[in-house]
Amino acid sequence: MKKQVMNIAFDDFTMDEAVKTALSYIDDRKKCRVVTPNAEFAIEAGKNARFLNILQTSEIVLPDGVSVIYAAKIVGNPINNKLPGIAFAQALCEALSKRGGKLFLLGAKPGVAEKAGEKLMAEYPGLIIAGTHDGYFKDVAPIIDEINAADPDALFVCLGAPKQEYFMEDHRDELNVPLMAGLGGSLDVLAGNIARAPEFYQKAGLEWFYRLCKEPKRIKRMIKLPAYLWDAMVWKVKKH
Ligand code: UDP
């Protein structure tokens, strides 16, 4: 059962459960969208009904950041596991590699998805990168054809939010892919162009701080974190 944190309901999965659930959709050839909301998503969803609706109707909703864990605690519906999109991407690749699964990578600047694909195949032998395409395209129809021709089990859509969620919603019917996951800047990390925070920061819930130090211009985006926690406190006070 999903856990409601204000207007978004999250799955409180362990990584194993998240991957198993994703694989079950692939096995049943049933369509599944994976979204990875964090504070920034929640603030955007508060003023963007279309985006909110996608987050509310996606089959798998993973708490991407520590902000969600804090907000869940504040509203009195605690979530045990933070599951960042990038970690889910890696765990799914590992699981797919064990069954010769096929993955298509869409997004990021030209060359990045290819590089990420090469690294993933080296790290997870058995994984098949069925195709890649950068995220700066004008005409979407040839890309849909390309993805369908590659016949992947899973598609990583890495266009940033809410663009990637709109893509998944707009093309869900035409795309013959059971599992689609919106994974933001994951391809940049998987390609090795951007480093993930060291484990200490991840465990301390300070990945956002590490990223801020590395890319200070993200401050405008990160200011949404306290705003989200503030919303959670106001929500809690109003409910009691
Ligand atoms: N991106 C893209 N097409 C676009 C806009 C963005 O492929 O039209 C890519 C961008 O190159 C980056 C990712 O989408 O790889 C968004 O990264 P961001 O840092 O916003 O994601 P986060 O991990 O913070 O959600």
Side-chain angles (χ1 to χ4, degrees):
M1 207 181 67
K2 286 190 164 53
K3 288 192 176 165
Q4 197 72 38
V5 181
M6 294 179 281
N7 51 9
I8 302 173
F10 291 86
D11 288 294
D12 190 5
F13 285 145
T14 61
M15 187 58 86
D16 253 17
E17 289 167 342
V19 170
K20 268 195 193 133
T21 307
L23 291 179
S24 72
Y25 280 96
I26 292 175
D27 288 338
D28 298 344
R29 301 304 288 180
K30 265 169 60 189
K31 289 193 178 170
C32 171
R33 285 166 300 171
V34 181
V35 290
T36 58
N38 54 26
E40 218 181 326
F41 278 53
I43 297 287
E44 172 66 23
K47 46 191 189 192
N48 178 341
R50 182 178 177 206
F51 186 45
L52 176 63
N53 181 260
I54 298 173
L55 300 182
Q56 287 176 333
T57 55
S58 289
E59 288 71 18
I60 298 181
V61 184
L62 304 178
D64 179 72
V66 72
S67 55
V68 178
I69 305 297
Y70 288 151
K73 206 178 270 179
I74 293 169
V75 301
N77 207 3
I79 291 176
N80 295 311
N81 301 295
K82 169 182 76 148
L83 291 193
I86 177 72
F88 171 75
Q90 289 164 321
L92 186 68
C93 284
E94 189 177 359
L96 287 174
S97 76
K98 292 183 182 146
R99 45 162 69 200
K102 291 203 276 178
L103 175 66
F104 196 107
L105 305 175
L106 173 66
K109 300 215 168 102
V112 176
E114 284 91 330
K115 196 168 157 199
E118 281 160 22
K119 292 219 165 182
L120 285 172
M121 283 198 291
E123 190 161 353
Y124 305 105
L127 175 70
I128 298 167
I129 298 297
T132 60
H133 200 289
D134 69 75
Y136 295 85
F137 47 85
K138 283 205 180 87
D139 191 3
V140 75
I143 293 169
I144 303 293
D145 290 345
E146 207 178 306
I147 297 170
N148 280 339
D151 189 30
D153 298 301
L155 168 66
F156 289 175
V157 189
C158 303
L159 307 172
K163 203 171 177 180
Q164 61 201 13
E165 285 73 23
Y166 292 163
F167 180 94
M168 293 197 285
E169 187 195 44
D170 288 344
H171 306 295
R172 183 176 157 88
D173 291 340
E174 336 155 54
L175 279 166
N176 247 331
V177 185
L179 190 93
M180 284 196 269
L183 294 169
S186 294
L187 293 180
D188 298 303
V189 178
L190 294 171
N193 296 350
I194 293 180
R196 232 194 126 184
E199 216 171 307
F200 161 78
Y201 292 90
Q202 293 179 32
K203 287 206 171 129
L206 290 172
E207 200 161 1
W208 60 272
F209 176 70
Y210 179 87
R211 234 176 147 184
L212 182 61
C213 293
K214 288 269 172 192
E215 297 171 71
K217 63 172 191 265
R218 290 182 80 90
I219 186 76
K220 265 198 216 140
R221 294 174 60 170
M222 287 193 176
I223 213 78
K224 312 249 166 84
L225 199 148
Y228 179 50
L229 299 186
W230 176 255
D231 284 353
M233 286 189 264
V234 171
W235 187 94
K236 179 76 180 165
V237 169
K238 279 189 180 160
K239 289 277 156 186
H240 288 90

